[in-house]
């Protein structure tokens, strides 16, 4: 008698049919469009979440923050420094509210993204007054809590003229000229402004205009006063809402993040042809840090 075990016939088995579209796609070798769409949706949600809670790119479309930001700059904005609010969400689909999660107050001199009171657009401005401050503007100079904010004239800045910075005569009358090397440049008058915490940065103020004077206003709790560095071409807290300004101090809940650094900058000569992109780069602006330099504060003298 053989020692091999007997082969026990298996009961009749029914073939197992694929129960999901994944199995069907695998068997047929076709594309599983449902899985592809699910993957794309998850990727989109991840991008929206990152842009809403961590950081997002921002493109500079206007001259309001010259000379520190130029049209064509692409920068990174961090979303968490002041907490999260309705404005943190990408595309601003949440209803307006003054509620903030993990709130924090900006520092003097921070460059921030803000949404105006009457429309869902992103502005970029600088914080020049904080909750409880009294602020006025007299002949273009900030008066903060009764003290003039120092403005020191510096050497003019020569910016190359390009499609993104044409030095339009209506905006900069008499400031465009041809340099000795043949380049067209825009000669901008520069002042260095320094706020009470030592934050220092350059501004442009080259003409007399109505926004050079603003009556003293007290910034309410939970608000901040914002201004552009190009003082003659900025719709900011000095400008009324009807003129596309911010209409005075703005709630901190309407501030959506802090500008950190420039990733790259384009001069406007680029086209859809990728071969033109390299030539359009402003190489010297890549990786520029946008946090203001802080000057050391003088220790109070003893009486």
């Amino acid at each position: 008698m053989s020692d091999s075990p007997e082969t026990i016939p298996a009961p009749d088995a029914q073939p197992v049919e694929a129960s999901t579209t994944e199995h069907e796609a695998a068997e047929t070798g076709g594309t599983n469009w449902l899985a592809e769409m699910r993957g794309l949706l998850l990727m989109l949600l991840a991008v929206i979440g990152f842009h809403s809670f961590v950081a997002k790119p921002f493109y500079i479309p206007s001259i309001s923050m010259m000379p520190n930001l130029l049209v064509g700059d692409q920068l990174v904005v961090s979303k968490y420094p002041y907490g999260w609010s309705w404005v943190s969400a990408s595309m601003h689909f949440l209803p307006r509210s003054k509620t903030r999660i993990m709130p924090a107050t900006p520092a003097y001199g921070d460059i921030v993204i803000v949404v105006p009171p009457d429309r869902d657009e992103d502005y970029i401005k600088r914080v020049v007054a904080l909750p409880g401050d009294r602020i006025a503007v007299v002949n273009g100079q900030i008066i903060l809590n009764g003290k003039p904010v120092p403005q020191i004239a510096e050497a003019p800045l020569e910016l190359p003229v390009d499609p993104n910075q044409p030095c339009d005569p209506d905006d900069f009358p008499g400031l465009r000229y041809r340099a000795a090397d043949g380049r067209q440049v825009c000669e901008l008058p520069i002042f260095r402004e320094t706020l009470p915490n030592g934050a220092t940065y350059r501004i442009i103020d080259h003409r007399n205009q109505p926004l050079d004077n603003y009556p003293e206003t007290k910034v309410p709790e939970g608000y901040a006063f914002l201004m552009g560095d190009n003082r003659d071409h900025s719709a900011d807290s000095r400008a009324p809402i009807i003129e596309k300004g911010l209409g005075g101090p703005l709630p901190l809940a309407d501030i959506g993040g802090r500008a950190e650094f420039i990733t790259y900058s384009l001069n406007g000569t680029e086209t859809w042809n990728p071969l033109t992109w390299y030539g359009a780069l402003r190489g010297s602006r890549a990786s520029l840090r946008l946090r203001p330099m802080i000057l050391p504060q003088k220790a109070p003298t003893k009486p």
Side-chain angles (χ1 to χ4, degrees):
M1 185 173 66
S2 172
D3 294 334
S4 299
E6 294 183 356
T7 300
I8 301 176
D12 294 340
Q14 298 296 323
V16 179
E17 296 182 357
S19 57
T20 65
T21 55
E22 287 91 343
H23 292 164
E24 291 174 358
E27 291 174 359
T28 61
T31 301
N32 182 352
W33 293 108
L34 181 61
E36 293 290 333
M37 292 299 294
R38 184 169 63 239
L40 289 174
L41 179 60
L42 290 174
M43 184 182 301
L44 177 62
L45 291 175
V47 170
I48 292 175
F50 188 85
H51 285 181
S52 299
F53 294 102
V54 183
K56 70 177 292 185
F58 189 86
Y59 175 81
I60 300 300
S62 76
I63 63 174
S64 70
M65 285 297 291
M66 289 175 64
N68 302 296
L69 293 174
L70 305 180
V71 175
D73 286 350
Q74 184 81 38
L75 50 94
V76 170
V77 174
S78 57
K79 303 302 292 287
Y80 52 83
Y82 317 125
W84 293 275
S85 66
W86 72 273
V87 77
S88 301
S90 292
M91 299 175 287
H92 308 314
F93 58 86
L94 296 177
R96 290 178 180 258
S97 169
K98 292 185 179 180
T99 301
R100 291 191 296 157
I101 299 173
M102 300 180 65
T105 301
Y108 288 121
D110 282 356
I111 298 176
V112 299
I113 302 299
V114 64
V115 177
D118 61 333
R119 55 199 176 279
D120 291 338
E121 298 178 14
D122 287 323
Y123 282 18
I124 185 163
K125 305 296 176 188
R126 192 181 295 276
V127 177
V128 296
L130 297 175
D133 283 340
R134 291 178 290 109
I135 183 170
V137 182
V138 178
N139 296 326
Q141 186 171 26
I142 296 174
I143 310 298
L144 194 60
N145 298 319
K147 298 179 179 179
V149 170
Q151 286 183 354
I152 299 175
E154 292 192 345
L157 174 66
E158 292 185 349
L159 278 181
V161 171
D162 58 42
N164 276 343
Q165 170 41 41
C167 200
D168 192 311
D170 291 334
D171 294 328
F172 303 103
L175 298 182
R176 177 172 174 165
Y177 74 99
R178 186 178 297 277
D181 60 3
R183 296 180 305 145
Q184 289 283 340
V185 297
C186 195
E187 187 178 64
L188 300 174
I190 298 296
F191 296 88
R192 179 162 294 279
E193 191 169 81
T194 304
L195 294 172
N197 66 337
T200 184
Y201 48 87
R202 299 175 300 171
I203 66 168
I204 301 172
D205 191 0
H206 65 96
R207 66 187 348 173
N208 295 321
Q209 47 94 22
L211 296 184
D212 282 343
N213 292 281
Y214 185 85
E216 184 174 85
T217 300
K218 184 172 182 179
V219 181
E221 288 300 318
Y223 284 68
F225 199 92
L226 312 175
M227 292 173 64
D229 293 342
N230 187 356
R231 296 292 162 80
D232 297 318
H233 306 283
S234 176
D236 48 39
S237 287
R238 301 170 297 166
I241 294 174
I242 195 172
E243 296 179 4
K244 295 188 176 182
L246 300 178
L250 206 71
L252 296 179
D254 293 352
I255 295 177
R258 182 178 65 200
E260 301 292 351
F261 60 90
I262 295 172
T263 52
Y264 64 89
S265 183
L266 298 173
N267 64 19
T269 61
E270 72 280 358
T271 67
W272 289 105
N273 182 354
L275 297 178
T276 67
W277 298 351
Y278 181 79
L281 287 172
R282 297 179 178 130
S284 62
R285 297 192 62 76
S287 302
L288 282 181
R289 187 173 180 265
L290 298 177
R291 303 289 300 280
M293 180 172 63
I294 305 297
L295 298 179
Q297 299 296 290
K298 295 181 180 179
T301 59
K302 295 182 179 179

